[in-house]
Amino acid sequence: MARALFIGRFQPLHRGHEEVIKWLLGRHEELVVAIGSANESFTPKNPFTVGERIEMLISMLKELNLISKVMYCAVPDTKGDSALWYAYVHGQCPSFDVAYTNDEFTRLCFEYGNVKVLNTPFFNRETYSGTRIRELMATGDKSWRDLVATGVLPVLGRINAEDRVRRLMQKQI
Ligand SMILES: Nc1ncnc2c1ncn2[C@@H]1O[C@H](COP(=O)(O)OP(=O)(O)OP(=O)(O)O)[C@@H](O)[C@H]1O
Ligand SMILES: NC(=O)c1ccc[n+]([C@@H]2O[C@H](COP(=O)(O)O)[C@@H](O)[C@H]2O)c1
């Protein structure tokens, strides 16, 4: 199948996501990266805006020379109304032949729209995890820098990501 869609929150975009994107491009001609929870930002679980997450993605794709094969879109959460969520996917994403997610609830929502859904493999899941990276940032442990995707570091540096995450986690919004 020609075009796959991969959805995630990418808070931040990490090496696990990078491996999945490469793995998907080995199997599909084109990829749509859908940035979920696009309306969420400045919370402990979703510290980065959708614009910042787009910058992370584009920066990584440029470094990997994959920019010509990947499109992106943003999908907001619609808590409690997943039929509406699927309407956003349908209306705001480029068309795709198959969706990839490992999240059962998201799978269910795609299946509601009669979309074919597949899983991706996990790559070093204990280490490459958004939750873990945010925890390391909050405690000032610089080892998080080794866990984010190629090209993402300059974006996170420019927006002072570590400081933002630490302050949001302290506040526990
Ligand atoms: N290390 C990994 N290897 C492969 N897939 C991963 C890895 N980490 C996350 N994914 C997958 O990427 C997709 C998007 O995940 P998401 O953006 O929520 O990252 P996450 O690391 O799970 O974040 P968080 O810990 O904040 O929930 C999901 O389908 C998830 O299963
Ligand atoms: N009703 C909804 O708002 C709804 C339903 C299914 C998935 N989603 C979103 O899709 C994305 C799935 O990505 P994750 O695998 O990173 O959880 C998340 O942003 C999640 O919030 C939202």
Side-chain angles (χ1 to χ4, degrees):
M1 274 176 287
R3 192 184 290 165
L5 178 140
F6 175 47
I7 185 151
R9 292 176 12 260
F10 310 117
Q11 293 281 8
L13 188 69
H14 58 62
R15 290 198 183 278
H17 302 136
E18 178 178 337
E19 290 305 318
V20 171
I21 287 170
K22 289 186 206 159
W23 183 84
L24 287 171
L25 285 173
R27 282 159 183 77
H28 299 276
E29 283 161 41
E30 289 182 317
L31 179 64
V32 177
V33 175
I35 302 177
S37 305
N39 53 325
E40 298 277 339
S41 64
F42 286 87
T43 70
K45 193 178 168 193
N46 289 295
F48 308 117
T49 68
V50 67
E52 290 164 346
R53 289 177 274 160
I54 290 171
E55 286 189 58
M56 294 179 212
L57 177 68
I58 298 298
S59 182
M60 181 192 84
L61 294 172
K62 278 185 182 162
E63 287 222 359
L64 295 174
N65 238 346
L66 293 176
I67 194 99
S68 62
K69 295 181 168 202
V70 182
M71 288 171 261
Y72 70 82
C73 55
V75 183
D77 284 341
T78 59
K79 289 179 181 67
D81 189 347
S82 291
L84 179 62
W85 181 80
Y86 181 73
Y88 274 117
V89 170
H90 188 64
Q92 297 193 188
C93 298
S95 65
F96 56 93
D97 304 299
V98 56
Y100 283 83
T101 180
N102 293 322
D103 181 64
E104 266 311 299
F105 179 61
T106 303
R107 167 183 281 268
L108 199 63
C109 296
F110 276 121
E111 285 174 353
Y112 161 79
N114 291 322
V115 168
K116 180 180 164 70
V117 188
L118 296 173
N119 291 102
T120 70
F122 279 107
F123 298 91
N124 208 352
R125 177 60 170 155
E126 284 74 45
T127 315
Y128 298 156
S129 138
T131 303
R132 182 171 152 77
I133 291 168
R134 294 192 301 276
E135 282 167 1
L136 291 169
M137 284 176 160
T139 56
D141 182 334
K142 306 286 181 212
S143 63
W144 65 264
R145 290 162 181 267
D146 301 327
L147 311 183
V148 298
T150 308
V152 167
L153 261 188
V155 179
L156 293 179
R158 185 170 48 73
I159 64 176
N160 223 344
E162 187 180 293
D163 181 63
R164 183 190 301 178
V165 170
R166 185 176 47 74
R167 289 162 66 187
L168 289 169
M169 299 275 240
Q170 269 170 5
K171 202 164 163 29
Q172 280 302 322
I173 291 167

